[in-house]
DNA sequence: ATGAAAGCGCTAACAG
DNA sequence: CTGTTAGCGCTTTCAT
């Protein structure tokens, strides 16, 4: 095998390019006694190859340990089978199920999903975008909507299918699967109002979508005549993103110091809500009798907290699945039935509110 | 500009390859009045280009909105500036700081880090590996050590620099930055023993490294004469991975039902520990007087739990930083000063134990 | 400091 | 069903 491998390389060493020393499609072809394009077909369109040829080529692939070079393949076919997801931090539990569903759906369709982090506040976003486009993915999935005008232009110019997720906008770049954060705030306001709460406060992380949930709540509260019960604006505590148990505790402490009469808190994440619940307990304020607490995310600990957290649930897997379908359909030249989908949300009522 | 762009393409349309319709290095070169290779040098070795040429080419790049095609670049240079990280789930909070440090260190050196998920239990690991190798990254960072023999062979054959992390083994594939999970178990056993605890139980997620921490504890406990105080083996509750607050609660409940006399629990993650603490509270068992609880990870909520969690802390950022340096050094042909680093761990003593 | 030629490893297009 | 040929967009090597 030593003599065979690399033999094809010897006769084209004219102006000395050094190659990688690794197995190429030509080596496999030589060993199987076929043309390189046949090996390519075995890999990419096995149905178009005769059974016996298929067998021989596959054996040659195994014997040589050949791993295709997708750089070369992508260059030749402008089809990379790569999809890039742009995420704030890879470790946000809220998005986890979405990334899982994305990964799985893409994997089943033969695509590889890679993740790039922008950091909180979208610091490196534009650079990351160029780095992604430079690899010519077949699709791009964004967390939230793209606000940077430069980013939008780059994406449109690149001509790559794009799905924005976990948010809603009348002007998506391309496709979108998400829901309205403002409406969540409204729904929470109405819920708390219906439970007789009139002195509502907010603990929110300093993050765009969280702020918009808080804004929806503020607006709806005003409409329901709640805001004026306390002050012109709802009492609010803003914590650094991402929200932590500690900032939830601090938030509730702070709000109680400023407004001892509050009877409900809407937290921008379940972690903040857990912190609020723990702080209330440490102060021997009963939840929900003293303060009602509502979270967001319905994370895996929400149901097991003490008391269990009332929270807003979003169908993360559905977002991932639908977003992947959008990209796959477009990448394969099909038309996308629903390029903009609002998956909505639901309020999960538990003991904390 | 319309006429200029794409002009170079017209005269080579012989056998009809269709191209991408996007701006290529040739278009930029034409506009700047230089050879393509000069544009390439502006991008990759600006020091070797005259100032005035540099200016003209950069202007042409801006005007055309050129984004390099790294598939082509990587194919030609076998240097992709891409590093792949293999992670169980992208949303594990334990690893977050490591991934952040990795991303930053690589970005500063001009590399892009992408993440691939294996799923818990390393289900898709071998496939993922081939997908990664197919893109010819300049380096691969693994979470934990590679156990699959096929995977090891593939990686070695690929000749790509590899760093295994967050674990220790006498036989790394290539480079390694981690620590001993067994030793953590030993340290926890000794700590609890020193605090007078003699009836120690374990709540662990069904995950390899967590089990090895539990095993270290078991062995050390036996040596300290603890195991026999209760039974031949330490009472253990095994939860599905990843550990949740709910399984922590259930775990403690279960253990107490079977062994009412236990006076300490070692949990394989802080989330499990938080669950244990909450369950204890719900049962009005004082922590640590009734049961001492020790976690692992020192996550951002550990210090703010009620009571604050005693836990094992690992220097995540250091692992990320060192692992990145290993890859960068190797990718740039330098020798790596320390190809195997044990970063150790520390026990953070707080109120829960 | 800049350019011309060749080719990285693969697949599209066109035969047969 | 299989093969031949050309070329994807870039960078290496060699030359000036």
């Amino acid at each position: 095998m030593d003599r065979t491998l690399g033999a094809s390389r010897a006769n084209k060493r004219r102006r000395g390019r050094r190659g990688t020393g690794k197995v190429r499609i030509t080596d496999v072809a030589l060993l199987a006694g076929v043309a390189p394009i046949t090996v390519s077909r075995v890999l990419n369109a096995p149905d178009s190859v005769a059974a016996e040829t298929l067998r021989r080529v596959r054996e040659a692939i195994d014997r040589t340990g050949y791993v295709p070079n997708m750089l070369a393949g992508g260059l030749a076919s402008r089809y990379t089978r790569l999809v890039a997801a742009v995420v704030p931090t890879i470790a946000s539990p809220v998005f986890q199920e979405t990334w899982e569903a994305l990964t799985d759906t893409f994997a089943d369709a033969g695509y590889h999903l890679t993740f790039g982090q922008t950091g909180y506040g979208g610091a490196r976003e534009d650079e990351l975008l160029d780095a992604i486009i430079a690899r010519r993915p077949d699709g791009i999935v964004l967390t939230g909507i793209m606000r940077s005008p430069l980013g939008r232009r780059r994406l449109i110019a690149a001509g790559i299918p794009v799905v924005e997720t976990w948010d809603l906008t009348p002007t998506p770049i391309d496709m979108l699967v998400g829901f309205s954060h403002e409406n969540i705030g409204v729904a929470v306001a109405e819920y708390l109002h219906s439970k007789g709460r009139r002195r509502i406060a907010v603990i929110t992380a300093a993050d765009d979508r969280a702020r918009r949930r808080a804004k929806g709540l503020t607006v709806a509260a005003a409409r329901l005549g709640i805001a004026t019960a306390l002050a012109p604006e709802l009492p609010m505590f803003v914590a650094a993103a991402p929200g932590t148990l500690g900032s939830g505790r601090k938030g509730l402490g702070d709000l109680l110091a400023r407004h001892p009469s509050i009877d409900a808190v809407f937290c921008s994440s379940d972690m903040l809500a857990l912190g609020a619940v723990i702080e209330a307990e440490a102060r021997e304020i009963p939840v929900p009798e003293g303060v009602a607490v509502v979270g967001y995310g319905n994370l895996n600990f929400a149901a097991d907290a003490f008391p269990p957290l009332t929270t807003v649930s979003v169908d993360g897997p559905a977002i991932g699945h639908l977003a992947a379908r959008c990209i796959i359909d477009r990448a394969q030249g099909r038309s996308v039935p629903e390029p903009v989908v609002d998956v909505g949300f639901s309020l999960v009522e538990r003991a904390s509110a």
Side-chain angles (χ1 to χ4, degrees), chain A:
Chain A
M1 212 163 76
D2 287 341
R3 280 163 295 114
T4 318
L5 284 175
S8 62
R9 206 186 310 248
N11 21 327
K12 50 165 105 154
R13 188 61 60 77
R14 288 221 273 194
R15 216 176 154 128
R17 211 81 194 276
R18 50 186 176 21
T20 62
K22 277 188 223 88
V23 186
R24 294 150 310 151
I25 209 169
T26 344
D27 300 311
V28 176
L30 225 53
L31 185 62
V34 295
I37 185 69
T38 301
V39 179
S40 171
R41 288 190 181 114
V42 168
L43 262 14
N44 303 313
D47 292 346
S48 70
V49 178
E52 167 58 13
T53 315
L54 208 59
R55 204 196 48 69
R56 278 206 339 270
V57 171
R58 288 205 166 127
E59 196 193 307
I61 289 175
D62 282 351
R63 296 240 314 248
T64 52
Y66 172 67
V67 180
N69 182 331
M70 297 188 86
L71 297 176
L75 182 58
S77 68
R78 61 179 303 290
Y79 191 54
T80 53
R81 295 200 152 282
L82 200 170
V83 177
V86 176
V87 306
T89 320
I90 65 162
S92 313
V94 226
F95 303 120
Q96 170 163 24
E97 293 185 317
T98 296
W99 307 151
E100 233 136 60
L102 264 185
T103 303
D104 291 346
T105 313
F106 278 126
D108 290 347
Y111 290 82
H112 308 310
L113 180 68
T114 74
F115 294 89
Q117 300 185 89
T118 56
Y120 268 100
R124 285 185 297 266
E125 193 167 65
D126 285 340
E127 291 155 66
L128 177 64
L129 225 49
D130 271 358
I132 286 173
I133 295 172
R135 315 250 177 219
R136 304 295 190 263
D138 291 339
I140 297 178
V141 179
L142 299 176
T143 306
I145 61 186
M146 172 61 61
R147 295 221 125 84
S148 141
L150 178 63
R152 293 179 62 98
R153 256 182 283 132
R154 292 295 232 200
L155 283 170
I156 293 167
I160 299 170
V162 172
V163 197
E164 290 163 292
T165 63
W166 279 84
D167 206 341
L168 221 50
T169 167
T171 55
I173 295 179
D174 184 1
M175 297 173 287
L176 182 148
V177 181
F179 57 90
S180 161
H181 291 265
E182 283 82 359
N183 286 354
I184 287 178
V186 172
V188 170
E190 289 169 351
Y191 174 79
L192 289 173
H193 185 262
S194 78
K195 293 281 171 184
R197 307 289 163 161
R198 294 294 182 272
R199 300 165 178 286
I200 304 175
V202 175
I203 300 177
T204 181
D207 135 68
D208 175 59
R209 286 180 290 276
R211 281 184 208 276
R212 298 214 325 276
R213 293 193 289 278
K215 197 177 156 204
L217 180 122
T218 305
V219 169
R223 209 182 53 222
L224 295 164
I226 291 178
T228 48
L230 266 178
E233 303 240 302
L234 296 186
M236 186 170 306
F237 179 88
V238 180
T244 62
L245 195 154
S247 41
R249 290 189 66 165
K250 184 158 181 323
L252 185 66
D254 215 76
L255 288 169
L256 286 170
R258 280 157 45 205
H259 308 271
S261 67
I262 58 178
D263 59 10
V265 208
F266 176 38
C267 301
S268 76
S269 77
D270 283 346
M271 208 55 179
L272 290 170
L274 184 61
V277 163
I278 289 181
E279 182 64 23
E281 180 210 328
R283 290 168 180 251
E284 301 188 346
I285 300 173
V287 174
E289 298 77 11
V291 230
V293 176
V294 178
Y296 163 84
N298 196 21
L299 299 190
N300 67 19
F301 59 79
D304 299 304
F306 183 62
L309 297 177
T310 292
T311 186
V312 175
S313 174
V314 169
D315 192 345
I319 295 181
H321 186 76
L322 291 169
R325 292 294 351 153
C326 284
I327 297 275
I328 294 167
D329 284 349
R330 278 281 293 283
Q332 304 188 346
R334 264 174 270 133
S335 82
V336 177
E338 283 190 280
V340 174
V341 184
D342 181 347
V343 299
F345 58 87
S346 61
L347 215 140
V348 181
E349 201 173 337
R350 296 207 187 92
S352 77

